[in-house]
Structures are given as C-alpha cells and as structure tokens.
Amino acid sequence: MSYFSIISNGFLFGLILTVMIGPVFFTLIQTSIERGYKSGFTMAIGIAMGDTLYIFICYFGISQLLNSETFKIGLGVVGGIIMLAFGLINLLKPVKLAQQKSLNSNTSSWFKELLKGFMVNGINPFVLIFWIGVVSMATVDYGYNKEEAILFFGTIVVTIFITDNMKAYLAHRLSDVITPKVIKIINMVAGIALIGFAMRLFYYAYSN
C-alpha cells in the first residue's frame, strides 16, 4: 500500500477526531481564551500525549492476536459497533456551548497545562473506546502491517496536534463563530462519516 494512501487515511481520521465536539475541544478553546496561545499550545501537547498512549495500548495490546482470522472478524464487529455508536451519538446529541469566562491575565506553568491536556483527554473513556474502533479499521479493514500502522497513527496524531494549535491560535475568533447551528452541522458530518466506516467493518466481518 502506498504511503500517500496511508497518510490520506490518517489525515481523514485525524480530521474526524478533531471535529468531534467534546470536553477536550471546549477545554482547549477556553484555556486559550483565558490564558493565551502558549497555554493552548502546551495543552495541545498533553492531548497528543494522551492519544499516543491510547494508541500504544490499543494497537500493541492486541497485536499478538491479529494473526487469528476469527479474532479479526470479531474485532471488525466490535469496531463496527463502536464506530456506529459514535456516529449516532454525533447525529443525535444535543448541542451545548460552554460559557466563556472573562479574560484572565494570570498564567500557569507549562507543566500544569500539559497535565490538563493529558488528563482531560486521558480520563475520558470514550476516547479509549474510539481508538479501539480506529485500530479495528487499521488492522481489519486496511490491513496495515506494523510499519504502516505507525505511519497511519502518526499522521492522525500530527493532524490532531496541528488542528488543535489552530484552534488555540484562533480561539478569540472561534468564540464568536462557533454557534449551536455550526456545531450541529459539524457533528452531523462527523457522524455520517463514522457510520460509513462502521458499515465497512460490518461488511468485512460478514464477507469473511
């Protein structure tokens, strides 16, 4: 499989994950508004660290079992259910905007912001569940070997990190642009994409 195809797939998943509106999104935006871009940048590093840890746990935790065709089919079904669930959640969940606090000139240490990004991302069980679904796509549907999987997941993390930094940099503008209607549209696009990936995994499991 070509490197361009792998990077394209990683970029696509990175975009899907970064537009899924949740606690990480609002915490990053609020931190950037209150404490400035540097705090948002540091928090984005912590978020990337949390994603990297989950990828390591999910992928290398099951890598020894991927030679079993039965396990791969089961993983396809489980991954499909996870993707389908996230897709439906994005389509149906109500939109809630976090209240913007007044600008605060106080700064916090880089370690505190790093830890905040890691914790806000890491303690959310849905992030781990989502990564299980992504690992299912990489191993079951795309059939990536270890080297290809590293490139795929690396592209996802880099995409998320870059877009998180864009959010942090433009936070003062995003606070006026992001309306419930805009968020609803973003959720619907991400939801439809995830449902499409779920159907692909179900098809793989059914055809084997």
Side-chain angles (χ1 to χ4, degrees), residues 156-178:
I156 294 177
V157 173
V158 170
T159 301
I160 294 172
F161 180 70
I162 291 174
T163 53
D164 279 348
N165 273 280
M166 292 173 62
K167 294 173 193 174
Y169 184 75
L170 299 173
H172 62 288
R173 297 180 184 177
L174 289 176
S175 62
D176 296 326
V177 172
I178 296 178

Side-chain angles (χ1 to χ4, degrees), residues 30-161:
Q30 188 169 331
T31 297
S32 301
I33 291 173
E34 293 182 349
R35 299 191 177 96
Y37 168 68
K38 288 185 178 180
S39 291
F41 174 81
T42 306
M43 184 178 171
I45 295 176
I47 294 170
M49 290 172 60
D51 284 329
T52 302
L53 177 62
Y54 273 148
I55 291 170
F56 184 86
I57 292 173
C58 293
Y59 182 75
F60 291 101
I62 65 174
S63 60
Q64 302 301 319
L65 302 173
L66 293 178
N67 291 327
S68 169
E69 195 65 29
T70 301
F71 177 79
K72 290 176 69 175
I73 292 173
L75 185 62
V77 173
V78 172
I81 292 173
I82 291 171
M83 290 290 184
L84 180 61
F86 272 94
L88 293 175
I89 288 172
N90 272 272
L91 287 175
L92 301 176
K93 71 181 179 181
V95 175
K96 295 181 180 179
L97 287 176
Q99 293 184 346
Q100 179 179 331
K101 296 182 179 180
S102 59
L103 185 65
N104 189 338
S105 60
N106 293 332
T107 58
S108 58
S109 68
W110 65 269
F111 180 76
K112 180 180 178 181
E113 300 301 345
L114 189 75
L115 185 62
K116 181 196 291 186
F118 181 84
M119 293 299 292
V120 145
N121 198 32
I123 65 175
N124 187 351
F126 293 106
V127 175
L128 175 59
I129 295 172
F130 181 82
W131 279 119
I132 293 174
V134 176
V135 168
S136 301
M137 287 295 301
T139 56
V140 174
D141 189 359
Y142 298 150
Y144 292 152
N145 59 36
K146 186 175 293 186
E147 290 75 20
E148 291 170 336
I150 290 174
L151 178 59
F152 173 69
F153 292 125
T155 303
I156 294 177
V157 173
V158 170
T159 301
I160 294 172
F161 180 70

